Amino acid sequence: MQTLEPTSSQAAFSMEEWRSGYRSQPQEYAYWIDDIEGEIPADLEGTLYRNGPGLLDINGYPIRHPFDGDGMINSFAFKNGRAFYRNRFVRTEGYVAEQTAGKPLYRGVFGTQKPGGVLANAFDLRLKNIANTHIIYWGDRLLALWEAAEPHRLDPVTLETIGLDFLGGQLEPGDSFTAHPKVDPGHYGQPRLVGFSVDTGVSSQLTLYEFDIAGELITQHSHSLPGFAFLHDFALTPNYAIFFQNPVSFNPLGYLLGFHGAAQSLAFDPKAKTKVVLIPRNDRVSMQIIETDPCFVFHHSNAFEQDGQVVVDSICYSEFPSLKGGDDYKHVNFDEVPGGQLWRFTLDLAAQSARSDCLMSRSVEFPVLHPDRVGYAHRYSYIGAVHSPEGNAPLQAVLKKDWHTGEEQLASFAPHGFGGEPVFIPRPGGMDEDDGWLMLLVYDGTRRCSDLVIMDGQNITREIARLKLKHHIPYGLHGSFAPVYFGPEDGEA
Ligand code: CO
């Protein structure tokens, strides 16, 4: 059971333990967490929301990729040194229909097929809006996001699904909305939510939206991009929304004919350039496209403007990090999959040129920072990392980087702990950029349960509290913190 398989360097983890974090969690819970090591800070008040696939199978039919799993929301509501946990599936149309039928009724974008082989899948292009990627609280609305369809609105306390949300009428039924909206911390006075939708094919139409703190639309404009555009995330500065158009092409034949999923129709072209698309937020000057070396980017860390240049920090892969044909994600050979590295792109808008520099060669993903630094030069990054400085492996650590001094801190949960995206929560009234708490869901392969770990943002090797859940949460994707307590009233459960 406990065979430790060495990775390409000295770190070791058990594939079997790692894999056990990809079990479905069909149960829905609601309870005060009472198994705690350390102490929850008394001045920590608000609600951490996390989203990710809750089901890795549908009544025993395995899904082909975790990205196809039904969205399950986890909430941790903090007040007076206590924490209330709740998880609930988003009642999407597809989730409800499939749970009723007891079998998959839709094909997944990442390759899950319906039972019945090619004939059952050919020409079935209906998308199942699985609401599994991110969750944000904005304008008194809690929204579960999946980038290829509309947001779902949820009750922030009970996590009950209220229904599809059209952002105050900005979206039409069937429109998409990004899973990665950005909060502008106040470049125009008040904070704003900036998001986009993209309609892609032979060419692409990208629409940028900005909402005020009440959720009312401030501005909206659309732009045409040549070619297919796989756009997952973007970066924001005071003047620009910045997108990386990855050098991938889309050949939908195999998908149309029912052989595989839409995502497996993507092909990375190492000879093509990555296009950096700068959309002016005021829409009065035209869009610019600057080419750079080919790479594949899901997530950006931050961007800022400096001396006529725009600097973008992003996690780059040397190719589209797909599973090779037929591979089962649970048996992935980490040595054969490229790891993400943090790169800096310095864009000279006048010269239309880009310089790229590797900032961090360790395999990393899910960079976060103090929310007030979005669009400004930041001093600190927190980022999910592998345990070893070399080689690819599951994310088992968090790394903090001080860009002023170069100092790095590594909080590692290896060999039995497996992490993901951290969340940085500023301490109310804190003055320093790293004055706050860093939270991370850690799957404990020994206990086969998940822990929420709270670290000191100034010294992440100091664990302040570890909240031990009674069960596991499958590895998730993104989440955010709302500075409002959305737990039960005192004494209630
Ligand atoms: Co993402």
Side-chain angles (χ1 to χ4, degrees):
M1 283 290 269
Q2 293 294 312
T3 52
L4 293 176
E5 295 170 27
T7 59
S8 55
S9 49
Q10 77 275 21
F13 65 97
S14 150
M15 274 298 276
E16 197 272 330
E17 278 188 9
W18 170 74
R19 206 176 283 143
S20 70
Y22 277 126
R23 281 171 294 139
S24 290
Q25 178 52 275
Q27 221 51 44
E28 295 182 322
Y29 297 90
Y31 58 93
W32 290 101
I33 301 171
D34 54 20
D35 189 359
I36 299 171
E37 287 172 8
E39 266 183 47
I40 298 172
D43 51 348
L44 172 60
E45 183 166 329
T47 309
L48 174 72
Y49 293 105
R50 302 286 317 163
N51 197 353
L55 292 181
L56 286 310
D57 71 284
I58 295 163
N59 198 27
Y61 294 94
I63 60 171
R64 179 134 196 302
H65 194 288
F67 291 175
D68 283 341
D70 289 299
M72 184 183 86
I73 310 302
N74 305 274
S75 70
F76 297 82
F78 294 94
K79 194 178 184 180
N80 300 328
R82 299 183 73 199
F84 189 86
Y85 172 80
R86 190 189 292 274
N87 71 314
R88 206 171 171 96
F89 281 89
V90 185
R91 262 53 174 189
T92 66
E93 190 185 343
Y95 171 84
V96 172
E98 291 183 334
Q99 291 303 309
T100 305
K103 63 177 183 181
L105 301 174
Y106 294 80
R107 303 171 69 190
V109 170
F110 287 88
T112 302
Q113 301 280 53
K114 295 187 292 182
V118 169
L119 287 179
N121 289 282
F123 303 109
D124 182 354
L125 308 183
R126 295 171 306 147
L127 281 181
K128 178 185 172 190
N129 181 348
I130 49 178
N132 73 356
T133 311
H134 200 353
I135 178 151
I136 58 156
Y137 182 74
W138 186 262
D140 291 331
R141 284 160 184 255
L142 182 67
L143 300 174
L145 303 174
W146 183 65
E147 67 192 18
E150 312 91 332
H152 281 80
R153 186 176 177 188
L154 313 176
D155 182 295
V157 176
T158 65
L159 303 181
E160 279 167 279
T161 303
I162 296 167
L164 292 177
D165 192 276
F166 298 95
L167 304 178
Q170 302 317 314
L171 301 181
E172 301 279 336
D175 278 356
S176 69
F177 187 70
T178 176
H180 278 288
K182 291 277 173 294
V183 176
D184 173 328
H187 298 297
Y188 297 89
Q190 292 289 313
R192 293 181 175 188
L193 186 79
V194 184
F196 69 94
S197 59
V198 63
D199 188 1
T200 190
V202 180
S203 69
S204 305
Q205 179 86 358
L206 191 154
T207 305
L208 197 73
Y209 307 88
E210 305 207 7
F211 300 93
D212 69 13
I213 44 175
E216 299 291 328
L217 186 77
I218 299 168
T219 166
Q220 170 190 346
H221 38 95
S222 295
H223 304 263
S224 296
L225 294 181
F228 174 77
F230 180 101
L231 306 175
H232 178 64
D233 192 9
F234 73 112
L236 191 74
T237 70
N239 290 301
Y240 299 98
I242 303 154
F243 296 83
F244 277 38
Q245 193 176 359
N246 294 303
V248 288
S249 58
F250 183 68
N251 179 350
L253 195 63
Y255 171 59
L256 290 172
L257 295 179
F259 292 114
H260 54 65
Q264 287 143 297
S265 303
L266 292 176
F268 185 81
D269 182 356
K271 292 193 200 74
K273 292 283 191 183
T274 286
K275 293 175 182 166
V276 182
V277 181
L278 295 111
I279 308 252
R281 290 174 63 186
N282 68 19
D283 192 30
R284 280 190 289 273
V285 281
S286 55
M287 171 179 96
Q288 278 198 58
I289 297 178
I290 296 177
E291 293 188 339
T292 184
D293 295 334
C295 61
F296 192 91
V297 172
F298 285 109
H299 298 127
H300 302 285
S301 162
N302 197 19
F304 53 92
E305 299 170 28
Q306 200 168 58
D307 308 325
Q309 295 181 321
V310 174
V311 176
V312 190
D313 290 352
S314 311
I315 307 292
C316 296
Y317 295 84
S318 56
E319 58 175 318
F320 181 55
S322 64
L323 301 172
K324 306 291 181 275
D327 283 357
D328 180 341
Y329 71 91
K330 287 186 178 176
H331 294 89
V332 60
N333 180 348
F334 283 94
D335 288 333
E336 286 181 2
V337 180
Q341 294 178 322
L342 186 63
W343 282 70
R344 169 159 291 183
F345 297 86
T346 307
L347 310 167
D348 187 322
L349 302 192
Q352 294 273 304
S353 65
R355 202 185 78 213
S356 54
D357 302 287
C358 184
L359 297 183
M360 208 180 268
S361 60
R362 184 190 290 263
S363 179
V364 290
E365 223 343 327
F366 301 127
V368 298
L369 72 165
H370 191 297
D372 287 351
R373 300 314 298 169
V374 171
Y376 296 108
H378 55 285
R379 174 164 180 182
Y380 301 107
S381 295
Y382 301 95
I383 187 164
V386 300
H387 173 80
S388 297
E390 283 158 21
N392 199 13
L395 300 177
Q396 295 190 278
V398 184
L399 192 136
K400 178 191 179 188
K401 179 84 180 185
D402 180 338
W403 297 106
H404 288 190
T405 65
E407 187 206 348
E408 286 185 357
Q409 293 170 355
L410 188 80
S412 178
F413 303 91
H416 301 294
F418 300 90
E421 181 194 63
V423 177
F424 179 79
I425 298 149
R427 186 191 306 277
M431 300 299 284
D432 294 327
E433 191 184 316
D434 59 351
D435 189 359
W437 302 285
L438 194 70
M439 290 194 192
L440 180 71
L441 265 177
V442 176
Y443 173 69
D444 179 342
T446 315
R447 224 164 56 81
R448 307 276 147 138
C449 289
S450 298
D451 300 338
L452 183 72
V453 177
I454 305 175
M455 290 158 273
D456 178 347
Q458 299 195 309
N459 175 9
I460 64 167
T461 62
R462 193 170 88 81
E463 200 170 296
I464 295 174
R466 182 179 280 253
L467 288 59
K468 297 177 145 186
L469 299 184
K470 303 171 194 286
H471 49 83
H472 81 289
I473 298 171
Y475 301 124
L477 293 166
H478 301 290
S480 60
F481 184 80
V484 185
Y485 170 77
F486 284 120
E489 295 305 316
D490 283 348
E492 272 182 65

